[in-house]
Coordinates of all heavy atoms in Angstrom, one line a residue:
S1 N 79.4 181.7 31.0 CA 79.8 183.1 30.9 C 78.7 184.0 31.5 O 77.5 183.7 31.4 CB 80.2 183.5 29.5 OG 79.1 183.4 28.7
G2 N 79.0 185.2 32.0 CA 78.0 186.1 32.5 C 77.1 186.7 31.4 O 77.5 186.7 30.2
K3 N 76.0 187.3 31.8 CA 75.1 187.9 30.8 C 74.9 189.4 31.1 O 73.8 189.9 30.8 CB 73.8 187.2 30.8 CG 73.9 185.8 30.4 CD 72.5 185.1 30.3 CE 72.6 183.7 29.9 NZ 71.3 183.1 29.8
I4 N 75.9 190.1 31.7 CA 75.7 191.4 32.0 C 75.5 192.3 30.8 O 76.3 192.3 29.9 CB 76.8 192.0 32.9 CG1 76.8 191.2 34.2 CG2 76.7 193.5 33.1 CD1 77.9 191.6 35.1
G5 N 74.3 192.9 30.7 CA 74.0 193.7 29.5 C 74.2 195.2 29.7 O 74.2 195.9 28.7
T6 N 74.4 195.7 30.9 CA 74.7 197.1 31.1 C 76.0 197.2 31.9 O 76.5 196.2 32.3 CB 73.5 197.8 31.8 OG1 73.3 197.2 33.1 CG2 72.2 197.7 31.1
G7 N 76.4 198.4 32.1 CA 77.7 198.6 32.7 C 77.7 199.3 34.0 O 78.7 200.0 34.3
M8 N 76.7 199.2 34.8 CA 76.7 199.9 36.1 C 75.9 199.1 37.1 O 74.9 198.4 36.8 CB 76.0 201.3 36.0 CG 76.0 202.1 37.3 SD 75.5 203.8 37.1 CE 77.1 204.5 36.7
F9 N 76.4 199.2 38.3 CA 75.8 198.5 39.5 C 75.7 199.4 40.6 O 76.7 200.1 41.0 CB 76.5 197.2 39.9 CG 75.9 196.5 41.0 CD1 74.8 195.7 40.8 CD2 76.4 196.6 42.3 CE1 74.2 195.0 41.9 CE2 75.8 196.0 43.4 CZ 74.7 195.2 43.2
N10 N 74.5 199.6 41.2 CA 74.3 200.4 42.4 C 73.6 199.6 43.5 O 72.7 198.9 43.2 CB 73.4 201.6 42.1 CG 74.0 202.5 41.0 OD1 75.0 203.2 41.3 ND2 73.5 202.5 39.8
L11 N 74.1 199.8 44.7 CA 73.5 199.2 45.9 C 73.3 200.3 46.9 O 74.2 200.9 47.4 CB 74.4 198.1 46.4 CG 73.9 197.2 47.5 CD1 72.6 196.5 47.1 CD2 75.0 196.2 48.0
V12 N 72.0 200.5 47.3 CA 71.6 201.6 48.2 C 70.9 201.0 49.4 O 70.1 200.2 49.3 CB 70.7 202.6 47.4 CG1 70.3 203.7 48.4 CG2 71.4 203.1 46.2
D13 N 71.3 201.5 50.6 CA 70.8 201.0 51.8 C 69.4 201.5 52.0 O 68.9 202.5 51.3 CB 71.7 201.5 53.0 CG 71.7 200.5 54.1 OD1 70.8 199.6 54.2 OD2 72.6 200.5 54.9
H14 N 68.6 201.0 53.0 CA 67.2 201.4 53.2 C 67.1 202.9 53.5 O 66.1 203.5 53.3 CB 66.7 200.6 54.4 CG 67.3 200.9 55.7 ND1 68.6 200.5 56.1 CD2 66.9 201.7 56.7 CE1 68.9 200.9 57.2 NE2 67.9 201.7 57.7
D15 N 68.2 203.5 54.0 CA 68.1 204.9 54.4 C 68.6 205.8 53.3 O 68.8 207.0 53.5 CB 68.8 205.2 55.7 CG 70.3 204.9 55.6 OD1 70.8 204.5 54.6 OD2 71.0 205.0 56.7
G16 N 69.0 205.3 52.1 CA 69.5 206.0 51.0 C 71.0 206.1 50.9 O 71.5 206.7 50.0
T17 N 71.7 205.5 51.9 CA 73.1 205.5 51.8 C 73.6 204.6 50.7 O 73.2 203.4 50.6 CB 73.7 204.9 53.2 OG1 73.2 205.7 54.2 CG2 75.2 204.9 53.2
V18 N 74.5 205.1 49.8 CA 75.0 204.4 48.7 C 76.1 203.5 49.3 O 77.1 204.0 49.8 CB 75.6 205.3 47.6 CG1 76.2 204.5 46.5 CG2 74.4 206.2 47.1
R19 N 75.9 202.2 49.1 CA 76.9 201.2 49.6 C 77.9 200.8 48.5 O 79.1 200.6 48.7 CB 76.2 200.0 50.1 CG 75.3 200.2 51.3 CD 76.2 200.7 52.5 NE 75.3 201.0 53.6 CZ 75.8 201.3 54.8 NH1 77.1 201.4 55.0 NH2 74.9 201.6 55.7
I20 N 77.4 200.7 47.2 CA 78.2 200.4 46.1 C 77.7 201.1 44.9 O 76.5 201.1 44.7 CB 78.2 198.9 45.7 CG1 78.7 198.0 46.9 CG2 79.1 198.6 44.5 CD1 78.6 196.5 46.7
N21 N 78.5 201.8 44.2 CA 78.1 202.5 43.0 C 79.3 202.4 42.0 O 80.3 203.1 42.2 CB 77.8 204.0 43.3 CG 77.4 204.7 42.0 OD1 77.1 204.1 41.0 ND2 77.5 206.0 42.1
T22 N 79.3 201.5 41.1 CA 80.4 201.3 40.2 C 80.0 200.9 38.8 O 78.9 200.3 38.6 CB 81.3 200.1 40.8 OG1 82.5 200.0 40.0 CG2 80.5 198.8 40.8
L23 N 80.8 201.3 37.9 CA 80.7 200.8 36.5 C 81.1 199.4 36.6 O 81.9 199.0 37.4 CB 81.6 201.6 35.5 CG 81.1 203.0 35.3 CD1 82.2 203.8 34.5 CD2 79.8 203.1 34.5
V24 N 80.6 198.6 35.6 CA 81.0 197.1 35.6 C 81.4 196.8 34.2 O 80.7 197.2 33.2 CB 79.8 196.3 36.0 CG1 80.1 194.8 35.8 CG2 79.3 196.6 37.4
H25 N 82.5 196.2 34.0 CA 83.0 195.7 32.7 C 82.2 194.6 32.3 O 82.2 193.5 32.9 CB 84.5 195.4 32.8 CG 85.1 195.2 31.4 ND1 84.8 194.1 30.6 CD2 85.9 196.0 30.7 CE1 85.5 194.2 29.5 NE2 86.1 195.3 29.5
P26 N 81.3 194.7 31.2 CA 80.4 193.6 30.8 C 81.2 192.5 30.1 O 82.4 192.7 29.7 CB 79.5 194.3 29.9 CG 80.2 195.5 29.4 CD 81.1 195.9 30.4
T27 N 80.6 191.4 30.0 CA 81.3 190.3 29.3 C 81.2 190.3 27.8 O 81.7 189.5 27.1 CB 80.6 189.0 29.8 OG1 79.2 189.0 29.5 CG2 80.8 188.8 31.3
R28 N 80.5 191.4 27.3 CA 80.5 191.5 25.8 C 80.3 193.0 25.6 O 80.0 193.8 26.5 CB 79.2 190.8 25.3 CG 77.9 191.2 25.8 CD 76.8 190.4 25.2 NE 75.5 190.9 25.7 CZ 74.8 190.4 26.7 NH1 75.2 189.3 27.3 NH2 73.6 190.9 27.0
P29 N 80.6 193.5 24.4 CA 80.5 194.9 24.0 C 79.1 195.4 24.3 O 78.1 194.7 24.1 CB 80.9 195.0 22.6 CG 81.7 193.8 22.3 CD 81.1 192.7 23.2
I30 N 79.0 196.7 24.7 CA 77.7 197.3 24.8 C 77.2 197.8 23.5 O 77.9 198.6 22.8 CB 77.8 198.5 25.8 CG1 78.3 198.0 27.2 CG2 76.4 199.2 26.0 CD1 78.6 199.1 28.1
P31 N 76.0 197.3 23.0 CA 75.5 197.8 21.7 C 75.2 199.3 21.7 O 74.8 199.8 22.7 CB 74.3 196.9 21.5 CG 74.4 195.8 22.4 CD 75.2 196.3 23.6
A32 N 75.3 199.9 20.6 CA 75.1 201.3 20.4 C 73.6 201.7 20.9 O 73.4 202.7 21.5 CB 75.3 201.8 19.0
D33 N 72.6 200.9 20.5 CA 71.3 201.2 20.9 C 71.1 201.1 22.5 O 70.3 201.9 23.0 CB 70.2 200.3 20.2 CG 70.4 198.8 20.5 OD1 71.6 198.4 20.7 OD2 69.4 198.1 20.5
V34 N 71.8 200.3 23.1 CA 71.8 200.2 24.6 C 72.5 201.5 25.2 O 72.0 202.1 26.1 CB 72.4 198.9 25.1 CG1 72.5 198.9 26.6 CG2 71.7 197.7 24.6
T35 N 73.6 201.9 24.6 CA 74.3 203.1 25.0 C 73.4 204.3 24.9 O 73.4 205.2 25.8 CB 75.6 203.3 24.2 OG1 76.5 202.2 24.5 CG2 76.3 204.6 24.5
R36 N 72.6 204.4 23.8 CA 71.7 205.5 23.7 C 70.6 205.5 24.8 O 70.2 206.6 25.2 CB 71.0 205.4 22.3 CG 71.8 205.9 21.2 CD 71.0 206.1 19.9 NE 70.5 204.8 19.3 CZ 71.3 204.0 18.6 NH1 72.5 204.3 18.3 NH2 70.7 202.9 18.1
V37 N 70.3 204.4 25.4 CA 69.3 204.3 26.5 C 69.9 204.9 27.8 O 69.3 205.7 28.5 CB 68.8 202.9 26.7 CG1 67.9 202.8 28.0 CG2 67.9 202.5 25.5
H38 N 71.1 204.3 28.2 CA 71.6 204.7 29.5 C 72.9 205.5 29.5 O 73.4 206.0 30.5 CB 71.9 203.4 30.4 CG 72.7 202.4 29.7 ND1 74.0 202.6 29.4 CD2 72.5 201.1 29.4 CE1 74.6 201.5 28.8 NE2 73.6 200.6 28.9
G39 N 73.5 205.7 28.3 CA 74.6 206.6 28.2 C 75.9 206.0 28.5 O 77.0 206.7 28.5
I40 N 76.0 204.7 28.9 CA 77.2 204.1 29.3 C 77.9 203.5 28.0 O 77.2 202.7 27.3 CB 77.0 203.0 30.3 CG1 76.4 203.6 31.6 CG2 78.3 202.3 30.6 CD1 75.9 202.6 32.6
T41 N 79.1 203.9 27.8 CA 79.8 203.4 26.6 C 80.8 202.4 26.9 O 81.2 202.2 28.1 CB 80.6 204.6 25.9 OG1 81.6 205.0 26.8 CG2 79.7 205.8 25.6
N42 N 81.3 201.7 25.9 CA 82.4 200.7 26.0 C 83.6 201.3 26.6 O 84.3 200.7 27.4 CB 82.6 199.9 24.7 CG 81.5 199.0 24.3 OD1 81.2 198.1 25.1 ND2 80.8 199.3 23.2
L43 N 83.9 202.5 26.1 CA 85.1 203.2 26.6 C 85.0 203.5 28.1 O 86.0 203.3 28.9 CB 85.3 204.5 25.9 CG 86.5 205.3 26.2 CD1 87.8 204.5 25.8 CD2 86.5 206.6 25.4
M44 N 83.8 203.8 28.6 CA 83.6 204.1 30.0 C 83.9 202.9 30.9 O 84.3 203.0 32.1 CB 82.2 204.6 30.3 CG 82.0 206.0 29.7 SD 80.2 206.4 29.7 CE 79.9 206.5 31.5
V45 N 83.6 201.7 30.4 CA 83.7 200.4 31.2 C 85.0 199.6 30.9 O 85.2 198.6 31.6 CB 82.4 199.5 31.0 CG1 81.2 200.3 31.5 CG2 82.3 199.0 29.6
Q46 N 85.8 200.1 30.0 CA 86.9 199.3 29.6 C 87.9 198.9 30.8 O 88.5 197.9 30.8 CB 87.7 199.9 28.5 CG 88.5 201.1 28.8 CD 89.2 201.7 27.6 OE1 89.1 201.2 26.5 NE2 90.0 202.7 27.8
N47 N 88.0 199.8 31.8 CA 88.9 199.5 32.9 C 88.1 199.3 34.2 O 88.7 199.2 35.3 CB 89.9 200.7 33.1 CG 90.8 200.8 32.0 OD1 91.3 199.8 31.5 ND2 91.0 202.1 31.6
A48 N 86.8 199.1 34.1 CA 86.0 198.8 35.3 C 86.1 197.4 35.7 O 86.5 196.5 34.9 CB 84.5 199.1 34.9
P49 N 85.8 197.1 37.0 CA 85.9 195.7 37.4 C 84.8 194.9 36.8 O 83.7 195.4 36.4 CB 85.7 195.8 39.0 CG 84.9 197.1 39.2 CD 85.4 198.0 38.1
T50 N 85.0 193.6 36.7 CA 83.9 192.7 36.2 C 83.0 192.4 37.3 O 83.2 192.7 38.5 CB 84.5 191.4 35.7 OG1 85.1 190.7 36.8 CG2 85.6 191.6 34.6
W51 N 81.8 191.8 37.0 CA 80.8 191.4 38.0 C 81.4 190.4 39.0 O 81.2 190.5 40.2 CB 79.6 190.8 37.3 CG 78.6 190.3 38.3 CD1 78.2 189.0 38.4 CD2 77.8 191.1 39.2 NE1 77.2 188.9 39.4 CE2 77.0 190.2 39.9 CE3 77.8 192.4 39.5 CZ2 76.1 190.6 40.9 CZ3 76.9 192.8 40.5 CH2 76.1 191.9 41.2
K52 N 82.2 189.5 38.5 CA 82.9 188.5 39.4 C 83.8 189.2 40.3 O 84.0 188.8 41.5 CB 83.6 187.5 38.6 CG 82.7 186.5 37.9 CD 83.5 185.4 37.2 CE 82.6 184.4 36.5 NZ 83.3 183.3 35.9
E53 N 84.4 190.3 39.9 CA 85.4 191.0 40.8 C 84.6 191.8 41.9 O 85.1 192.0 43.0 CB 86.3 192.0 40.0 CG 87.3 191.2 39.1 CD 88.0 192.1 38.2 OE1 87.4 193.1 37.7 OE2 89.2 191.8 37.9
I54 N 83.4 192.3 41.6 CA 82.7 193.1 42.6 C 81.8 192.2 43.4 O 81.4 192.7 44.5 CB 81.9 194.3 42.0 CG1 80.7 193.8 41.1 CG2 82.8 195.3 41.3 CD1 79.7 194.9 40.8
W55 N 81.6 191.0 43.0 CA 80.6 190.1 43.7 C 81.0 189.9 45.2 O 80.1 190.0 46.1 CB 80.5 188.8 43.1 CG 79.6 187.8 43.8 CD1 80.0 186.7 44.4 CD2 78.2 188.0 44.2 NE1 79.0 186.1 45.1 CE2 77.9 186.9 45.0 CE3 77.3 189.0 43.9 CZ2 76.6 186.8 45.5 CZ3 76.0 188.9 44.4 CH2 75.7 187.8 45.2
P56 N 82.3 189.7 45.6 CA 82.6 189.6 47.0 C 82.2 190.8 47.9 O 81.7 190.7 49.0 CB 84.1 189.4 47.0 CG 84.4 188.8 45.7 CD 83.5 189.5 44.8
E57 N 82.3 192.0 47.3 CA 81.9 193.2 48.0 C 80.4 193.3 48.1 O 79.9 193.6 49.2 CB 82.4 194.5 47.3 CG 82.1 195.7 48.0 CD 82.5 197.0 47.3 OE1 83.1 196.9 46.2 OE2 82.3 198.1 47.8
V58 N 79.7 192.9 47.1 CA 78.2 192.9 47.1 C 77.8 191.9 48.1 O 76.9 192.2 49.0 CB 77.7 192.5 45.7 CG1 76.2 192.3 45.7 CG2 78.0 193.6 44.7
L59 N 78.3 190.7 48.1 CA 78.0 189.7 49.1 C 78.2 190.1 50.5 O 77.4 190.0 51.4 CB 78.7 188.4 48.8 CG 78.3 187.1 49.6 CD1 76.8 186.8 49.3 CD2 79.2 186.0 49.2
A60 N 79.3 190.8 50.8 CA 79.6 191.3 52.1 C 78.6 192.4 52.6 O 78.2 192.3 53.7 CB 81.1 191.9 52.1
V61 N 78.2 193.2 51.7 CA 77.3 194.3 52.0 C 75.9 193.7 52.3 O 75.2 194.1 53.2 CB 77.2 195.4 50.9 CG1 76.0 196.3 51.2 CG2 78.5 196.1 50.8
L62 N 75.5 192.7 51.5 CA 74.2 192.1 51.6 C 74.0 191.1 52.7 O 72.9 190.8 53.2 CB 73.8 191.5 50.3 CG 73.6 192.4 49.1 CD1 73.2 191.6 47.9 CD2 72.6 193.5 49.4
S63 N 75.1 190.5 53.2 CA 75.1 189.4 54.2 C 74.3 189.8 55.4 O 74.5 190.8 56.0 CB 76.6 189.1 54.6 OG 76.6 188.0 55.5
G64 N 73.3 189.0 55.7 CA 72.5 189.1 56.9 C 71.4 190.2 56.8 O 70.8 190.5 57.8
R65 N 71.2 190.7 55.6 CA 70.2 191.8 55.4 C 69.0 191.3 54.6 O 69.2 190.3 53.8 CB 70.8 193.0 54.6 CG 71.9 193.7 55.3 CD 72.5 194.7 54.4 NE 73.6 195.5 55.0 CZ 73.5 196.7 55.4 NH1 72.4 197.4 55.1 NH2 74.5 197.4 56.0
K66 N 67.9 191.9 54.8 CA 66.8 191.7 53.9 C 67.0 192.5 52.7 O 67.5 193.7 52.8 CB 65.5 192.1 54.6 CG 65.1 191.2 55.8 CD 63.8 191.6 56.4 CE 63.5 190.7 57.6 NZ 62.3 191.0 58.3
V67 N 66.6 192.0 51.5 CA 66.9 192.7 50.3 C 65.6 192.9 49.5 O 64.8 192.0 49.3 CB 67.9 191.9 49.4 CG1 68.2 192.5 48.1 CG2 69.2 191.6 50.2
G68 N 65.5 194.1 49.0 CA 64.4 194.5 48.1 C 65.1 194.9 46.8 O 66.1 195.6 46.8
I69 N 64.5 194.4 45.6 CA 65.2 194.7 44.3 C 64.2 195.3 43.4 O 63.1 194.8 43.2 CB 65.7 193.4 43.7 CG1 66.7 192.6 44.6 CG2 66.3 193.7 42.3 CD1 67.0 191.3 44.1
Y70 N 64.5 196.5 42.9 CA 63.7 197.2 41.9 C 64.0 196.5 40.6 O 65.2 196.3 40.2 CB 64.1 198.7 41.9 CG 63.4 199.4 40.8 CD1 62.1 199.8 40.9 CD2 64.1 199.7 39.6 CE1 61.4 200.5 39.9 CE2 63.4 200.4 38.6 CZ 62.1 200.8 38.7 OH 61.5 201.4 37.7
N71 N 63.0 196.2 39.8 CA 63.1 195.6 38.5 C 63.9 194.2 38.6 O 64.8 194.0 37.8 CB 63.8 196.5 37.6 CG 63.5 196.3 36.1 OD1 62.7 195.4 35.8 ND2 64.1 197.0 35.2
A72 N 63.5 193.4 39.6 CA 64.2 192.2 39.9 C 64.3 191.2 38.7 O 65.3 190.6 38.5 CB 63.5 191.5 41.1
E73 N 63.2 191.1 37.9 CA 63.2 190.2 36.8 C 64.3 190.5 35.8 O 65.1 189.7 35.4 CB 61.9 190.2 36.0 CG 61.8 189.2 34.9 CD 60.4 189.2 34.3 OE1 59.4 189.5 34.9 OE2 60.3 188.9 33.1
F74 N 64.5 191.8 35.5 CA 65.6 192.2 34.6 C 66.9 191.9 35.2 O 67.8 191.4 34.6 CB 65.5 193.7 34.3 CG 66.7 194.3 33.6 CD1 66.8 194.1 32.2 CD2 67.7 194.9 34.3 CE1 67.9 194.6 31.5 CE2 68.8 195.4 33.6 CZ 68.9 195.3 32.2
D75 N 67.1 192.2 36.5 CA 68.4 192.0 37.2 C 68.7 190.5 37.2 O 69.9 190.2 37.1 CB 68.3 192.6 38.6 CG 68.3 194.1 38.6 OD1 68.7 194.7 37.5 OD2 68.0 194.7 39.6
Q76 N 67.8 189.7 37.5 CA 68.1 188.3 37.5 C 68.6 187.8 36.2 O 69.5 186.9 36.2 CB 66.8 187.5 38.0 CG 66.5 187.7 39.4 CD 65.2 187.0 39.8 OE1 64.3 186.7 38.9 NE2 64.9 186.8 41.1
I77 N 68.1 188.3 35.1 CA 68.5 187.9 33.8 C 69.9 188.5 33.5 O 70.8 187.9 33.0 CB 67.5 188.3 32.7 CG1 66.2 187.5 32.9 CG2 68.1 188.1 31.3 CD1 65.1 188.0 32.1
S78 N 70.0 189.8 33.8 CA 71.2 190.5 33.5 C 72.5 190.2 34.2 O 73.6 190.3 33.7 CB 71.0 192.0 33.6 OG 70.0 192.5 32.8
F79 N 72.3 189.7 35.5 CA 73.5 189.5 36.3 C 73.7 188.0 36.6 O 74.2 187.7 37.7 CB 73.4 190.3 37.6 CG 73.4 191.8 37.4 CD1 72.3 192.5 37.4 CD2 74.7 192.4 37.2 CE1 72.4 193.9 37.2 CE2 74.7 193.7 36.9 CZ 73.6 194.5 36.9
Q80 N 73.5 187.2 35.7 CA 73.8 185.8 35.8 C 75.3 185.6 35.6 O 75.8 186.1 34.6 CB 73.0 184.9 34.8 CG 71.5 184.9 35.1 CD 70.8 184.1 34.0 OE1 71.4 183.4 33.2 NE2 69.5 184.2 34.0
V81 N 75.9 184.9 36.5 CA 77.4 184.7 36.4 C 77.6 183.2 36.3 O 77.1 182.4 37.1 CB 78.1 185.3 37.6 CG1 79.6 185.0 37.5 CG2 77.9 186.8 37.7
G82 N 78.3 182.8 35.2 CA 78.6 181.4 35.0 C 80.1 181.1 35.2 O 80.9 181.9 35.4

């Protein structure tokens, strides 16, 4: 199972163009203390796509590109899909 701990995914091009900006339905409820940090609630993500549903679009946008990731260690843990 996935480990997505937050409910938003953003992908921005090198020139600042937003390629993907979406809420993500996590695989478990968002704890209240996490909502206090980023403001994303369970209600906000209840009808959002799952990480598995947005992955094909992410892969298409990233295909053939060099990728830089801000806070990569966190993202690698948070976006594991099983």
Side-chain angles (χ1 to χ4, degrees):
S1 65
K3 295 183 179 181
I4 296 177
T6 60
M8 179 168 277
F9 179 78
N10 297 291
L11 186 60
V12 180
D13 214 340
H14 68 284
D15 62 1
T17 303
V18 176
R19 299 295 178 176
I20 301 173
N21 180 20
T22 185
L23 291 169
V24 179
H25 191 285
T27 56
R28 60 181 185 260
I30 300 171
D33 60 329
V34 175
T35 294
R36 283 191 292 278
V37 171
H38 56 60
I40 299 171
T41 68
N42 288 299
L43 185 61
M44 292 168 67
V45 299
Q46 73 180 1
N47 295 318
T50 64
W51 176 245
K52 286 183 180 183
E53 291 171 327
I54 67 167
W55 177 244
E57 181 182 2
V58 172
L59 189 58
V61 170
L62 296 179
S63 182
R65 296 174 178 250
K66 292 181 181 179
V67 178
I69 303 171
Y70 174 79
N71 204 5
E73 184 177 332
F74 171 80
D75 289 342
Q76 289 173 341
I77 293 168
S78 297
F79 292 101
Q80 293 177 10
V81 177

